[in-house]
Amino acid sequence: MPDKKMPWIDFRSDTVTWPTVKMRQAMAAADVGDDVYGEDSTVIRLEELSAERLGKEAGLFIPSGTMGNLVAVLTHCGRGDEVILGDISHTFVYEAGGISALGGIFPHTLPNQPDGSLRLDDIKDAIRMDNVHFPKTRLVILENTHNRCGGAVLDAAYTSKVAEIAHQAGFSLHLDGARIFNAAVALGVDVKTLTQPADSITFCLSKALCAPVGSVLCGSAEFIHQARRIRKQVGGGMRQAGILAAAGIIAIQEMVDQLAADHLRARRLAEGLSDIPGLLLDDGPPLTNMVYVNLGGDVKRNAAEVAEAIQKQGIRVGVINPRRFRLVTHYWIDDEAVEKVIKAFQAVLKA
Ligand SMILES: *Cc1c(COP(=O)(O)O)cnc(C)c1O
């Protein structure tokens, strides 16, 4: 049986990916149990497989990446504690302020550099002295790949340096690794080298890996033991979740290798778009599966209007702000779709 075909071409995100036929078949056939009782063998297998793949002791299946980061932060920190994170990080920008709203946790933002990093000196300067005036620094969060920084990749050496600073000062490093497999593939390294320095990591099954739902939080056995209670507290305890985990197992076992093709297509897409008058690409070729592109100053229409005209041709692109688009490549985007969207931009901007 071939994959079902999407009735449109969707570049808005890699979250739009549908599960593959193999996933749908595995889901239908999955062994299940009550996972809150610890009795779903498929969930247990996904958690073990994830932990092994990332070089951690244990894993925890979580309904979303946002909840994965929330559970991680709530496990590391208590009320009034401080988290150091990037000013355009996913946790700061796109998670509805959950760490503060639900955890009373104080965000200390540092400027994200264009390569997705936080400056090491900025991190050192942000660490609080032990003094009644200050909150306690408990955690630093890195994001790899970095969404708002164009899918930028943090390497193992940098990640280790941040971990060293944190550990020397007595706090932890959490890695928001929603797309950590994209980073590993882009760098051509075992993903473990990127996750090893971190105390905890969240990665998404539901993005370019095509599973319909879910993320996995990984860390030490003790950390995951505590995180399991927090997941229940925020309403993330699931029952016969093996149906979902079955797709996640295939995501990890079979979908990682195709990420390199997504990255190649992103480069071709950037190349094609860069030739179109009226479009301005960010500097340098895309490193992973995202292409950010701006409208030039002489284009009268705004990004939403251009996107609407492109959608009339059955192609969806992401609008980030009135002058900026994001296009993401993934399993459901083939070479033909890349050429089609380039042609669509050409036609719409010429009109
Ligand atoms: C997508 C994403 C998440 C989690 O998002 P969910 O939609 O809640 O699964 C977290 N961090 C980054 C960097 C992401 O891109």
Side-chain angles (χ1 to χ4, degrees):
M1 203 200 309
D3 283 325
K4 290 193 181 203
K5 251 201 141 3
M6 277 191 191
W8 49 77
I9 295 171
D10 202 339
F11 283 96
R12 289 173 302 168
S13 178
D14 44 12
T15 57
V16 304
T17 47
W18 289 358
T20 63
V21 165
K22 246 185 139 163
M23 287 178 182
R24 290 173 189 264
Q25 287 168 341
M27 292 171 79
D31 288 328
V32 296
D34 189 319
D35 182 52
V36 173
Y37 293 164
E39 292 172 1
D40 189 304
S41 60
T42 309
V43 172
I44 292 170
R45 201 146 54 84
L46 171 66
E47 291 175 343
E48 287 176 354
L49 182 69
S50 302
E52 186 194 308
R53 195 69 191 256
L54 266 52
K56 299 294 176 200
E57 286 173 1
L60 184 65
F61 186 39
I62 306 228
S64 72
T66 297
M67 192 188 282
N69 287 333
L70 176 66
V71 167
V73 175
L74 293 178
T75 306
H76 285 293
C77 306
R79 297 185 71 78
D81 287 341
E82 191 170 68
V83 175
I84 296 170
L85 76 180
D87 62 349
I88 52 172
S89 64
H90 194 279
T91 300
F92 186 65
V93 178
Y94 291 122
E95 296 177 9
I99 61 171
S100 300
L102 305 173
I105 293 153
F106 200 52
H108 186 152
T109 57
L110 300 177
N112 270 117
Q113 303 303 304
D115 66 357
S117 69
L118 305 174
R119 278 197 215 99
L120 298 178
D121 284 341
D122 287 352
I123 297 173
K124 286 178 196 159
D125 290 344
I127 299 169
R128 303 291 190 159
M129 286 187 295
D130 186 7
N131 178 304
V132 291
H133 291 87
F134 303 133
K136 281 186 186 153
T137 307
R138 283 278 188 221
L139 188 67
V140 56
I141 303 179
L142 293 178
E143 182 174 319
N144 197 9
T145 67
H146 202 291
N147 182 354
R148 284 282 294 268
C149 293
V153 174
L154 303 176
D155 66 19
Y158 170 78
T159 310
S160 294
K161 280 183 201 148
V162 174
E164 205 179 297
I165 292 169
H167 295 158
Q168 268 175 11
F171 62 97
S172 300
L173 167 62
H174 174 67
L175 195 55
D176 177 359
R179 297 186 180 84
I180 195 67
F181 288 103
N182 292 85
V185 166
L187 290 166
V189 299
D190 185 330
V191 68
K192 287 191 187 78
T193 64
L194 303 177
T195 55
Q196 186 277 328
D199 299 283
S200 58
I201 168 167
T202 312
F203 73 95
C204 288
L205 299 163
S206 61
K207 291 186 168 159
L209 300 184
C210 291
V213 176
S215 284
V216 185
L217 173 62
C218 292
S220 70
E222 171 57 26
F223 177 83
I224 293 299
H225 177 71
Q226 292 179 39
R228 200 172 282 281
R229 176 174 283 112
I230 305 282
R231 182 188 67 172
K232 190 77 181 89
Q233 196 174 60
V234 297
M238 297 176 285
R239 302 298 178 174
Q240 285 73 40
I243 297 278
L244 300 172
I249 289 169
I250 292 177
I252 294 174
Q253 288 179 332
E254 300 192 11
M255 303 307 285
V256 172
D257 287 344
Q258 57 85 34
L259 297 177
D262 296 346
H263 299 175
L264 276 176
R265 288 194 181 103
R267 282 182 173 235
R268 165 61 202 141
L269 175 59
E271 223 176 74
L273 294 177
S274 69
D275 289 338
I276 300 176
L279 290 183
L280 298 171
L281 266 86
D282 288 1
D283 284 344
L287 298 175
T288 54
N289 65 339
M290 289 180 195
V291 178
Y292 280 90
V293 58
N294 292 306
L295 284 174
D298 45 352
V299 177
K300 296 264 175 338
R301 278 172 298 178
N302 66 30
E305 289 163 341
V306 171
E308 202 184 311
I310 288 174
Q311 189 164 339
K312 293 211 172 89
Q313 304 182 34
I315 304 174
R316 297 173 173 189
V317 300
V319 174
I320 300 296
N321 70 36
R323 306 302 292 175
R324 192 162 169 83
F325 305 94
R326 186 183 74 163
L327 285 78
V328 184
T329 55
H330 51 75
Y331 181 77
W332 294 85
I333 295 292
D334 57 13
D335 292 337
E336 197 190 329
V338 170
E339 299 311 318
K340 273 190 178 159
V341 75
I342 294 168
K343 289 212 179 73
F345 267 106
Q346 258 163 357
V348 167
L349 289 172
K350 223 190 292 169

